[in-house]
Amino acid sequence: METVNLKITHCGECPKMHSERYYTPDPFETDSEWKCTLAENKRIAIQSWNDHEPAIPSWCPLRK
């Protein structure tokens, strides 16, 4: 088995992060829901266009 080490600072850089549109009552908001595909699509965050990237959660399966 091969080992791959990723040095990332937030989930947006991770290849296992999935992002999809998160609909709100305001049709002009463009929020995204970030999910981790390795953790059974567990929600990482709801991100607006101007939010800072959230830190890597403590439950991340790739975290060492």
Side-chain angles (χ1 to χ4, degrees):
M1 177 182 233
E2 293 184 37
T3 303
V4 177
N5 293 323
L6 295 174
K7 293 188 180 196
I8 60 175
T9 57
H10 58 83
C11 292
E13 298 172 336
C14 181
K16 298 299 180 178
M17 190 276 294
H18 173 72
S19 176
E20 59 187 37
R21 174 100 189 252
Y22 182 78
Y23 292 94
T24 64
D26 184 355
F28 294 104
E29 287 184 350
T30 55
D31 293 348
S32 297
E33 181 177 24
W34 288 17
K35 295 180 180 180
C36 178
T37 59
L38 284 179
E40 299 174 357
N41 287 324
K42 189 171 184 177
R43 181 186 289 170
I44 300 165
I46 303 291
Q47 291 291 109
S48 188
W49 66 273
N50 62 343
D51 289 343
H52 294 287
E53 290 83 7
I56 298 171
S58 60
W59 51 260
C60 176
L62 297 177
R63 192 176 196 133
K64 287 188 177 181

